[in-house]
């Protein structure tokens, strides 16, 4: 059973709110979960900051037993300092080819 730490969307239209939870990798996005380990509100509040709440000890436990964070959760955990920040190219989903490979096609 592969365990993932990922987001589940809540809220309403144009006002998203996410819960960070641990689930089996085969379960759907908003489906069954093992444990809720935090929340994320991507819309800035009146102070201009986005809200992120984490149960750090539980996240560290799940990472220690082999849970893999999704790309977005990995970025959030990297910003919070729980895990090393992933490379910036992986956030966009685009990995640039080296110059040699680009020149060979031309």
């Amino acid at each position: 059973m592969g365990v993932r730490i990922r987001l589940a969307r809540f809220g309403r239209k144009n006002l998203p709110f996410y819960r960070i939870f641990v689930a089996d990798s085969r379960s759907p996005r908003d489906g069954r979960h093992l444990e809720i380990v935090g929340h994320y509100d991507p819309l800035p509040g009146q102070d201009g900051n986005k809200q992120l709440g984490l149960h750090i000890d539980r996240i560290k436990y799940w990472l220690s037993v082999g849970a893999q964070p999704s790309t977005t959760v990995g970025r959030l955990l990297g910003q919070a300092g729980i895990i090393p920040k992933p490379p910036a190219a992986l956030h966009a989903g685009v990995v640039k080819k080296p110059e040699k490979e680009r020149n060979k096609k031309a």
Side-chain angles (χ1 to χ4, degrees):
M1 173 173 97
V3 179
R4 301 279 298 183
I5 302 174
R6 61 184 180 197
L7 298 174
R9 190 180 195 278
F10 289 89
R12 61 184 178 135
K13 185 177 178 181
N14 296 326
L15 291 172
F17 177 84
Y18 297 94
R19 287 189 184 149
I20 302 170
F21 68 98
V22 180
D24 182 8
S25 60
R26 297 170 291 186
S27 64
R29 180 192 73 180
D30 296 334
R32 189 166 172 234
H33 61 273
L34 301 172
E35 181 178 3
I36 297 174
V37 294
H39 67 274
Y40 173 58
D41 187 1
L43 300 176
Q46 291 187 357
D47 59 354
N49 294 324
K50 299 176 181 181
Q51 302 257 334
L52 177 64
L54 301 170
H55 298 287
I56 297 172
D57 55 337
R58 295 304 297 164
I59 292 173
K60 287 183 178 180
Y61 165 76
W62 281 108
L63 291 171
S64 71
V65 296
Q68 295 294 315
S70 67
T71 305
T72 305
V73 172
R75 181 179 51 84
L76 293 172
L77 295 179
Q79 289 174 350
I82 297 174
I83 61 173
K85 288 185 178 181
L90 295 179
H91 297 309
V94 177
V95 178
K96 294 183 179 179
K97 293 183 179 180
E99 288 290 329
K100 292 178 183 177
E101 291 182 20
R102 280 190 258 164
N103 292 337
K104 287 181 182 177
K105 291 183 180 181

